[in-house]
Amino acid sequence: MKRVLLSIALLSVILPSQAAFAGGSIERACLSANRAAASRTLCGCIQKVANSMLTNTERAKVSKFFKDPHRSQALRQSDRSSDERFWKKYKQFGQTVTSYCR
């Protein structure tokens, strides 16, 4: 029983730190986008805002914008109501990033 409890305690310490090291999809995309302003601090901040405002699916969609910015413009110009709802949320996300991650 002591081994089980020790293992659980050890995992609870190790796993969160590994998750923080790995970063999220947006943080990784931001860092790999080869933009001059990209830094671990900035990209990590953007990821934190995304975690608080966007669903997993939305975060995956946004991370693709870093690699292919045209994708965001195509979505913005789309006539689909779901894309329009996402774009409004994405704009709100961008404004929050701008004010929070300076």
Side-chain angles (χ1 to χ4, degrees):
M1 184 67 171
K2 285 184 181 181
R3 280 188 177 189
V4 171
L5 291 175
L6 183 59
S7 297
I8 291 171
L10 209 59
L11 285 174
S12 68
V13 171
I14 292 170
L15 290 178
S17 63
Q18 286 181 340
F21 176 74
S25 61
I26 291 177
E27 182 178 5
R28 288 189 306 272
C30 175
L31 289 169
S32 66
N34 293 325
R35 295 209 170 82
S39 68
R40 280 210 178 276
T41 303
L42 176 60
C43 295
C45 182
I46 294 169
Q47 181 68 53
K48 284 180 186 176
V49 174
N51 290 347
S52 69
M53 294 186 71
L54 305 174
T55 66
N56 287 341
T57 303
E58 291 167 339
R59 288 193 300 266
K61 190 181 288 192
V62 170
S63 68
K64 293 174 184 170
F65 293 168
F66 284 92
K67 194 173 203 173
D68 182 10
H70 176 71
R71 186 181 291 227
S72 68
Q73 290 306 310
L75 187 134
R76 183 180 67 83
Q77 295 173 340
S78 168
D79 291 333
R80 295 175 60 200
S81 59
S82 61
D83 289 342
E84 184 178 345
R85 282 191 306 275
F86 173 77
W87 188 256
K88 286 179 182 178
K89 191 171 183 179
Y90 178 69
K91 280 178 49 177
Q92 208 172 26
F93 163 71
Q95 291 168 347
T96 304
V97 165
T98 299
S99 64
Y100 184 73
C101 298
R102 289 183 178 201

